[in-house]
Amino acid sequence: MVEAHRLSYRGSADGPPLDSRQTSIAEKDYAALRRLGKKPVLKRNFGFLSILGFACTILVCWESTLILLDIGLLNGGPAGLIYGFILVWIGSLAVFSSLSELVSMAPTAGGQYHWVSMLAPPSSQKFFSYITGWLTVCGWQGTLASAAFLSATLIQGLAVLNNIDYISQPYQATLLFWAVILFAVFMNAIGGTMLPKFEGLVLILHILGFSAILIPLIVLGDHQDPSQVFALFLNSNWPTQGLSFMVGITGSLFVFVGADGAIHMSEEIQNAPIIVPWAIVSTYFFNGILGLGIMIATLFCISDLEAVLKPPSGFAFIEIFHQTTYSIAGTTIMVSIITIMQLAATVSILTAASRQLWSFARDHGVPGWRILEKVDQRTTIPIWSVVATTMISCLLSLINLGSSTAFDDIISIAVAGLYSSYLVTLSLLLYRRCTGGISLTSGPSRTLTNTAGAQLTWGPWHLPGLYGIIVNGFACAYLTTAFFFTFWPDTRAPSAKDMNYSSLMLGGTIMFSVVYYLARGRRDYSGPIVELTR
């Protein structure tokens, strides 16, 4: 299999012969993987703009800001939404600036579990790496199910908007879920050089769609007084406004989670040690501005807050669009843009989730790894990991037929799983940073570095000295606080239906991974496998 892809690191499969600059980049990409002990088996079809589009598509920041507006309105109100968004934006910038340093050091599809393996003390690196791998796998599987379910419910929201008598049924949401997943599978199956082009197209739509939504909000809306936007806080029934504010930021937490999808594509990106960090940081900076802008414009257009808090469609932003345009047709067009972007996000999330699963299978971390690690020789796509990820989501969607609450509880692992993997990884980075465990220079080009038991060296994208420690430390403090509030319910006295069971799902995931590790994993998994020794 490796022999069939010996030339995959030389650039895209289709295109003109490589010039000297492209050859130099290809050789650096090969050397970067070789220093991690990994063989190149995936084609590097992504450049800066295409992976920027990929990262922006996964976040769909301004779109998700609107979709999840309900959570922050209930706890925090308009003012809480704005200041909470800014807080999460700054915290996420710190988190992914520090993670960008790690992908610059070790640009591998494994991401978090590989970094934990190289950063943790030798006595515990295997165990902590394994648990982190499972948290990341489950987090991404939950993220895919969440994205597909949001797409399905957006379509149902459009149906309610255009037919007030329509009553959504669980089986309809499940069928729409499958349709969304099948579309994502199709786009991933054709893959190859088409996927980067698709991501570039989506990036253009992401920007144009922002203008298509913002302009009607500014021109057509009956704008309320600024005090109703920047000074109006709401509290469902929590003892203090501050506590209600912190509970309300969970919507923004979901908006900004998942940019590590670009990290899991590292082995398909040209000049990954530099391109991936810049793409991630640019994504957060650029999308944060768009998200904040669309949020403020939307909040100014609220004319009936009570109707917004109890929308017939289930989405507050749809009611706000209707209050702005006074037109079902106009609202339908605006909501359709967001629905299309959410569909595109599902495509990218399936790609990232399958690559992360493939990488963990390559290192023998999951059951069935012998099948899941295989890469199709024609397309160089880990097709069995794509199939497995698809099947997991489709099976999870069946739970929605019996209980939407149970389905929501299971996919709640998306935020808790990924945030916990970020926290473990960055805590170990801070430890190594403060103890001087990472050097500025490496040995000869064929020396193993940045893998378990090898020398640790900074990559070309690095936050130096005290500045790096401050950013890394702030990221850990932010993650600890955000992680704590991901487990809180929306109301002070929730019913069984409204309870937040993400702590149960996270505990179940950790328990399963520990039991499987003791039963089988410790024999199969030894950390990231060194396939090349020199």
Side-chain angles (χ1 to χ4, degrees):
M1 177 180 68
V2 173
E3 292 298 327
H5 305 300
R6 181 70 67 184
L7 300 179
S8 65
Y9 67 91
R10 295 293 183 184
S12 301
D14 302 320
L18 299 176
D19 58 27
S20 58
R21 179 178 177 275
Q22 291 174 310
T23 302
S24 176
I25 292 176
E27 290 173 349
K28 289 180 180 179
D29 290 333
Y30 178 68
L33 267 185
R34 183 181 62 205
R35 291 169 71 86
L36 301 176
K38 294 297 184 183
K39 297 177 181 179
V41 295
L42 304 178
K43 291 181 180 177
R44 295 185 181 270
N45 292 312
F46 284 83
F48 176 75
L49 286 179
S50 53
I51 200 61
L52 177 65
F54 182 89
C56 288
T57 303
I58 284 185
L59 281 186
V60 282
C61 184
W62 69 262
E63 299 91 337
S64 297
T65 298
L66 294 173
I67 294 171
L68 300 171
L69 207 64
D70 317 57
I71 300 174
L73 276 176
L74 181 65
N75 287 296
L81 270 170
I82 294 173
Y83 304 130
F85 182 94
I86 294 173
L87 173 63
V88 175
W89 181 21
I90 294 172
S92 298
L93 271 172
V95 168
F96 281 91
S97 293
S98 295
L99 288 177
S100 292
E101 292 184 281
L102 288 168
V103 73
S104 187
M105 292 172 64
T108 168
Q112 292 93 306
Y113 80 85
H114 181 103
W115 303 332
V116 168
S117 178
M118 76 182 193
L119 294 171
S123 60
S124 58
Q125 63 88 10
K126 177 180 173 181
F127 175 75
F128 281 124
S129 172
Y130 188 78
I131 302 301
T132 303
W134 270 103
L135 289 172
T136 312
V137 165
C138 292
W140 273 105
Q141 299 300 321
T143 300
L144 176 61
S146 300
F149 189 68
L150 275 177
S151 298
T153 52
L154 279 170
I155 295 172
Q156 288 185 307
L158 280 169
V160 172
L161 174 66
N162 287 272
N163 181 7
I164 196 64
D165 295 324
Y166 169 75
I167 300 176
S168 62
Q169 300 295 331
Y171 79 89
Q172 295 169 338
T174 299
L175 291 175
L176 288 169
F177 182 105
W178 289 354
V180 171
I181 288 291
L182 287 177
F183 171 72
V185 171
F186 172 76
M187 293 305 302
N188 273 268
I190 62 175
T193 57
M194 288 300 298
L195 191 58
K197 294 175 182 177
F198 172 76
E199 300 298 347
L201 177 63
V202 172
L203 177 60
I204 295 173
L205 182 59
H206 178 66
I207 298 171
L208 294 179
F210 173 80
S211 300
I213 301 296
L214 184 65
I215 292 173
L217 292 175
I218 294 175
V219 174
L220 301 177
D222 295 327
H223 301 144
Q224 57 181 326
D225 189 83
S227 63
Q228 295 297 304
V229 175
F230 296 104
L232 177 60
F233 290 89
L234 297 179
N235 183 348
S236 57
N237 59 356
W238 294 102
T240 65
Q241 183 60 58
L243 184 57
S244 177
F245 169 81
M246 293 305 298
V247 171
I249 68 170
T250 54
S252 293
L253 294 179
F254 191 83
V255 167
F256 281 105
V257 76
D260 56 305
I263 291 171
H264 303 305
M265 299 295 292
S266 292
E267 295 178 42
E268 299 172 63
I269 302 170
Q270 300 170 18
N271 201 14
I274 295 176
I275 293 298
V276 177
W278 277 114
I280 291 175
V281 174
S282 299
T283 295
Y284 270 96
F285 182 77
F286 173 66
N287 277 274
I289 294 173
L290 296 186
L292 184 60
I294 205 76
M295 175 185 285
I296 292 174
T298 303
L299 293 175
F300 264 105
C301 293
I302 297 177
S303 57
D304 185 350
L305 184 58
E306 290 298 324
V308 169
L309 292 174
K310 297 179 180 179
S313 64
F315 292 97
F317 81 94
I318 295 181
E319 177 63 27
I320 297 173
F321 285 0
H322 190 235
Q323 292 180 11
T324 301
T325 63
Y326 297 101
S327 167
I328 290 180
T331 302
T332 299
I333 294 173
M334 295 170 72
V335 176
S336 296
I337 293 173
I338 295 172
T339 304
I340 291 171
M341 290 304 304
Q342 184 60 40
L343 286 169
T346 307
V347 174
S348 299
I349 291 171
L350 174 58
T351 306
S354 63
R355 299 309 190 268
Q356 202 281 327
L357 177 62
W358 165 76
S359 182
F360 202 35
R362 175 179 58 177
D363 292 321
H364 306 175
V366 293
W369 57 264
R370 289 181 177 85
I371 295 176
L372 296 176
E373 71 170 348
K374 292 181 179 179
V375 175
D376 182 75
Q377 294 188 6
R378 183 179 62 87
T379 62
T380 66
I381 294 173
I383 194 67
W384 287 108
S385 290
V386 173
V387 169
T389 300
T390 302
M391 291 179 63
I392 290 171
S393 289
C394 289
L395 290 174
L396 286 176
S397 69
L398 293 175
I399 300 173
N400 186 58
L401 295 175
S403 172
S404 60
T405 301
F407 177 73
D408 291 341
D409 294 339
I410 290 174
I411 64 176
S412 66
I413 189 63
V415 175
L418 292 180
Y419 264 69
S420 57
S421 72
Y422 302 159
L423 180 57
V424 172
T425 304
L426 293 187
S427 296
L428 289 170
L429 176 62
L430 184 61
Y431 161 74
R432 288 289 188 178
R433 205 174 211 134
C434 293
T435 56
I438 307 175
S439 62
L440 291 174
T441 57
S442 60
S445 62
R446 291 181 176 271
T447 302
L448 287 176
T449 58
N450 297 331
T451 192
Q455 179 189 15
L456 298 179
T457 60
W458 292 112
W461 204 97
H462 169 48
L463 302 175
L466 182 61
Y467 176 65
I469 293 176
I470 292 173
V471 172
N472 195 165
F474 175 73
C476 289
Y478 161 76
L479 281 171
T480 302
T481 304
F483 182 66
F484 175 71
F485 280 101
T486 60
F487 303 123
W488 287 59
D490 292 336
T491 58
R492 185 179 181 183
S495 62
K497 181 180 179 180
D498 298 326
M499 183 59 187
N500 184 343
Y501 293 98
S502 57
S503 58
L504 177 63
M505 292 307 305
L506 181 64
T509 300
I510 295 174
M511 186 178 298
F512 169 81
S513 59
V514 170
V515 170
Y516 189 79
Y517 176 81
L518 295 175
R520 180 71 182 269
R522 59 180 175 175
R523 294 194 297 272
D524 291 342
Y525 183 77
S526 300
I529 294 174
V530 175
E531 300 167 332
L532 297 171
T533 57
R534 62 185 181 86

